[in-house]
Structure formats: structure tokens, C-alpha cells
Amino acid sequence: MAATILPDLGAEVLIPVCAVVGIVFSLVQWLLVSKVKLSPADAASATANNGKNGYSDYLIDEEENINDHSVVLKCAEIQTAISEGATSFLFTEYQYVGVFMAAFAVLIFLFLGSVEGFSTKSQPCTYDETKVCKPALATAVFSTVAFLLGGITSVVSGFLGMKIATYANARTTLEARKGVGKAFIVAFRSGAVMGFLLAANGLLVLYIAINLFKIYYGDDWGGLFEAITGYGLGGSSMALFGRVGGGIYTKAADVGADLVGKVERNIPEDDPRNPAVIADNVGDNVGDIAGMGSDLFGSYAESSCAALVVASISSFGINHELTAMLYPLIVSSVGILVCLITTLFATDFFEIKAVKEIEPALKKQLIISTVLMTVGIAVVTWIAVPSSFTIFNFGTQKVVKNWQLFLCVAVGLWAGLIIGFVTEYYTSNAYSPVQDVADSCRTGAATNVIFGLALGYKSVIIPIFAIAVSIFVSFTFAAMYGIAVAALGMLSTIATGLAIDAYGPISDNAGGIAEMAGMSHRIRERTDALDAAGNTTAAIGKGFAIGSAALVSLALFGAFVSRAHIVTVDVLTPKVFIGLIVGAMLPYWFSAMTMKSVGSAALKMVEEVRRQFNTIPGLMEGTAKPDYATCVKISTDASIKEMIPPGALVMLTPLIVGIFFGVETLSGVLAGSLVSGVQIAISASNTGGAWDNAKKYIEAGASEHARTLGPKGSDPHKAAVIGDTIGDPLKDTSGPSLNILIKLMAVESLVFAPFFATHGGLLFKIF
């Protein structure tokens, strides 16, 4: 086997250096955002000193004629309320999740330790009986440590994302007075802080964990990377609770605020008289930011773990080629540098002057990062991988060339871009699908719902073909390792993807703050334009998350099958087929739970908002203040209580199936849930996104067609609001949580595979 061009020391330096560069870059972006001041005194002094770009009118838009100080104070006050609400919810959520983490960590230790009866003696290696490897007890201990590390990193990523988003929302609102370009840059920089922190932290923690574990494992790389899979499990199990809990929170508030405020009382969105308005804005941060952050971190951790597990039993691991072994981490490191250059295009190289330039600027981010990353992957594959090597392929070793590996990663990367653009086509109101949905509102809510559902189902077609092609190409070239690195390719530009994604909720909050602070109509128009683009980018982000989840879970499935010593998965055997059909049902069961949770929480919210409008004198006139705290409490209590059953369903299914029915049935369950989960997730996310943007299309009234449907409060608009309300739990709770369901069940099965293989299938043993 040929050596790699990049020496081992080079790889060991490159990975942590890139991670540190990512962290430093995100701190620089944060400093730039913090220059926008939120207190009147600071704003005044900044005005005096600021001649930059001729912007001496620092925070005062001359035409506004409004008392600037009161507006700045009001924005600061609203921001504090949102930030406190989000922080207190996440702390409550993390207390519950912490208990779960501790309990599950004990479970991992007991199950994996019992494989060899807690013996501390060395044992023959799983894949090579002639060699001696570390005992199963070591795998149990280190898997548990990796699980806790992954969980903590996931929680920290989500929390930091939420903090920066609540820090930036009011600053975006204030910058909107100087023009849409300034506001865009603040929102985008803040998104970049989250994207780079998450990508760099995920990479750094994983790299440090591998090096620390290596001290004990030494040359037993198979055991080392088996234990590392716990990192992916920890990341995804936290993401599940973050996504489901945050999704229920945000949508309960949103549906309650919309139904009573817009439809019954005819007041605008984010009107300060609406009691649920603070809860709604808090929800954007805990669901879309903290939840999304944890989710993509989970995907990233799992695709890295899946690739490392397969590589450790291929020639990279057997011959102890460190640089080639760390290839997945090197791809991610270069991804951070590529995203850094890409971000500068949006913030420094080009300035946005008009509203119509916002969406193209965000799309350019995706295209630039994909093109640059393709070059980056080519260079990395050339220097970090031998020209020819072998990959473990279900018991045999398959010879692979380095150019084939490059194609595997590249096909994943470009499939991600295709999925992103198809999602944009189906959810942006610049294109005919959403305009048709808006047009169907003429005849009421029922036709709007029919058109929206049809759009969602149709939007599944191209993404599935893109995923299918990337699976076929990458498996043909490099077996399961190819699929794992294709998933990594899709996630290699995660920093840019997350920056674009986090930009959406920040802009949404900025619009809410502008409305609540009583700013002029013009400013609200600017924040609405930012928000509409943000809606589409959020849908693109979800598309990426779902596409990568499909590839990741297939790669994990392959690693599980290898590790559980299953030779073939035969659909015609009843054991496998019953698993297949039950697995395909699970996403429906899970969606039913999450949808109903949103419904019942929204019911309580609607009743509370109605009660306040009916019983607080002067609320509609604006002379009395609503009781925001009660609405925040309803959302918090509902989401904490309701996130447990769906979470339990996902976490317990692999354990119950593995213990009672064995690994063959479990492989059927994993395949079934993957196949049906991807379809439902894509259609749910896109249907919801399309309904939301159809409503915004009517509200904006930017085209002749849109004006015939408007204005706000017209019958077509009310029909659009109903569609949007139905779509809320689809696009922000059920849809995005499903990608965690398919990944999490696969990674959990992989971690527990030795236990299932040894002690599983109790029912079939009895009969």
C-alpha cells in the first residue's frame, strides 16, 4: 500500500488548527455584532465618533422623526424578555435531559459490560480472531464516556447558538433603520457565529477524545473507534429532546398567537397586545436555533463515527495509517476554512443594497461553498489518502482508488446542493408552486390545504432521486465507507449551512421586535423581507438535515450489520419482514405524538390568549399590558411534559427489538424507518414552508397577483393563515424531528450491537 503525501504529524496539526481558526473567526464575528449598541448613551457616543462609510446618522434615521431613545430602550427591554424566556426554558429542559443522560449512560455501561460478563481479560478481536484486543468492559467504559461527551457538546452547541441569536435579534432591528443591507449583515454574522462555533467545537472535541482514548487502546484501533460511536449517540439523543421540546414550545405559542390574534382579533403578527407574542419569539430561538444546532451537530458526529468505524477495520486501521484514518476529520477541517472564505463573500466582499438581493446572496453562499469545497476535497483526498487501499465490505476487503473516494464525497456534497435548491423551489414565494398555493386561497382554506399537501408530496421526488444516486455511486465505489463519507460531504459545509439557517429565526425575531417597539411601517417591511428569505433558507437547512440523515443512517446501518455479524439482510425471511413493516410505521407513530402534543399545547394557549383579551380591560385599546409570563409558562410546561413520550419511543424501540427479537428483526426496523421517515420528513417540511410563504406572499403584496389576493384581513389571507397554522407543527416539529428518529435508532443499534449479537433475540430463543 502506498504512503500518503501528508505526514501523520501534518494531520495531527491540521485538524486542531482548523478547529481553533473556526472558533476565533466566530468570536471575531461576535465582536463585530456587539458593536451595534443597545443603550441610548452608547448609541449617541457612537454617532459622534462614527464617520465610517459616511454613516454619521448612526442610529437615527432622519426621516423617521421618532424619539430614538425610547425605541432603543424598548428594543433592549423586549430582547431581555426573549433572552430570559429562552434561557429559563433551556435550563429546565436540560435538567430533565441531564437525568435521562445519566440513566442512559448507566444502561450503556451495563449492557456493553455484560457482553463478556464484565471480565477484564483481553479477548480475540471481533474482525480478526488471531489478534488480541482490549476487553469488552473497556468498550463499555469508553463508550459511556464518549456518550456523555457527545451529549454535553450537543447541549453546549445549542445553548451558545440560542445565546447569540437572542443577543443579535434587537441589534438587527436597530440596524434595519439604516437600510436592509446593514440589518442583513448583523443577522448573517450572528448566524455565522453559531455555525462556526458548532462545526469547530464538534471537530475539536471528537479529535481530543480520539487522542485521549488512544492512550489506553494503543494499537487496538477497532476497539478505539467502536467506543467512539458513543459520541454520535450522545449528540443525537440530546438533539432529539432539543428538537421535539423546542418544536412543541415554538409551535404551541405560534399557533395560539396566530389563531386568536390574526384570525379572531384581526391584529397584526407580533402585535404587543397579543399575550402569546413573547412566547412565540422565545420559541423561534429554542426550536429553530438550539434544536437545529443540536440536530446538525448530531448528524456531523454520527457521519464521522460511521466513517471511522468502517475505516478502522479496513486497510487504514489494520495497517495503522493515521492520516488516512483521520480522513473524515480532515475533510471537516478543510470545510471550516472553505466556509470561512464563503462567509466573507456575504459580509465583506459584496454589500446588499436592495431587498431583492437578499435571497440571491444566501443562495450564492451555498453555491460558493460547494464549488470551493469540491476543490478542497480533491486536494485533501490527493494528499491524505493512499492512491490505492482496501475497504471492509461485509466480510471481504474491497480495493478502492483515491479518485473513487473523492467522487463519493463530492457526490454527497452536490446532492446536498440539489436538495437545497429543490427545497427552495418548492418553498420560496418567488416560484410558481407557492404562488399556486396562494392562489388556491381564493376559494377558502380547504383548497389551500389540498394544494399544500400535494406540493409537499411532489417535492419529495427529486431529493429522493438525488439521495438514491449518491447512495448508488458511493456504495459502488467504496462500499459502506463511501456512503459515510458522502454524508460527510453533504455536511462538510455545515458552518455555512448553519449560518444561513440561524439567520432565519434571527430575522424573524427582529421583525417581531420592530412591531412590538412600534417602529415605522418601512422598517417592518425591511425586516419582513429578511424574514421571508429566512423562511426559505430555513427550509433549505431542513432539506440538508434530512438528506444527510438518510445517508448517515444508512452508513450507520451498514456499520451495525457488520458489527452484529449479520451476513445478509434477507427481506423474505419473516423475522426481517416484520421488522421492516413495523419500522416503516414508526415515523407515523412518532409524528402523531408530536402533532398531537402541539395541538393540545396550542389549545391551552388559545384559551389563555382569549381569556386575557376578554378579561383584561383596555388590552385591545393598548392601554393595558398583557400577561406574557403565563403564556411563556404554558409553552414551557407543555413542551417539557410532551417531549418525553416521543423521545422514549425512539430511544426504547431499538432496545426492545434487539433484546426480544434479535439483530435480524432490528435490521428490518432500521431499514423500514429510514425508508418511510425520509419521505414524510421532506414532505412535512416543504408543505409547512410553502403554506407559510404563501401567507407572506399575500401579506407582502409585491406583485399584481398578490395584491388581488390581499390585503391582510381579506378572506384569502385568512385562508392562508389557517394553512400556515396547520403547517407550523409539520415544518417545525414533526418534519425536522423525523431525521433525528432515523439517525438515532441506527446509531443506538450500532452502539448496542455487541450486546444484541450476544444476548438478543430472547423470544426466538424461547420458541
Side-chain angles (χ1 to χ4, degrees), residues 206-225:
L206 180 58
Y207 179 71
I208 292 169
I210 290 172
N211 280 319
L212 291 177
F213 285 16
K214 211 192 277 162
I215 296 169
Y216 170 79
Y217 275 102
D219 281 347
D220 176 13
W221 284 16
L224 163 65
F225 291 105

Side-chain angles (χ1 to χ4, degrees), residues 329-352:
L329 276 72
I330 298 172
V331 169
S332 304
S333 310
V334 173
I336 291 176
L337 301 181
V338 163
C339 292
L340 196 152
I341 298 164
T342 310
T343 303
L344 297 176
F345 276 94
T347 56
D348 297 80
F349 299 159
F350 299 107
E351 196 181 342
I352 286 186

Side-chain angles (χ1 to χ4, degrees), residues 7 14 33 75 104 136 141 145 320 387-388 429 443 490 504 519 575 593-594 640 664 670 679 765:
L14 177 72
V33 171
C75 287
F104 208 76
V141 172
V145 172
H320 296 101
S387 56
S388 173
N429 53 27
T443 46
M490 205 178 271
M519 289 176 146
K575 273 187 196 177
M593 283 178 161
T594 48
I640 297 292
E664 277 129 327
L670 295 178
Q679 330 280 343
K765 284 176 185 166

Side-chain angles (χ1 to χ4, degrees), residues 639-680:
S639 53
I640 297 292
K641 186 172 117 244
E642 302 279 0
M643 76 179 181
I644 294 164
L649 173 74
V650 178
M651 299 302 289
L652 295 177
T653 300
L655 294 179
I656 293 168
V657 175
I659 292 167
F660 292 109
F661 298 93
V663 285
E664 277 129 327
T665 309
L666 182 53
S667 62
V669 169
L670 295 178
S673 64
L674 165 63
V675 167
S676 83
V678 173
Q679 330 280 343
I680 305 174

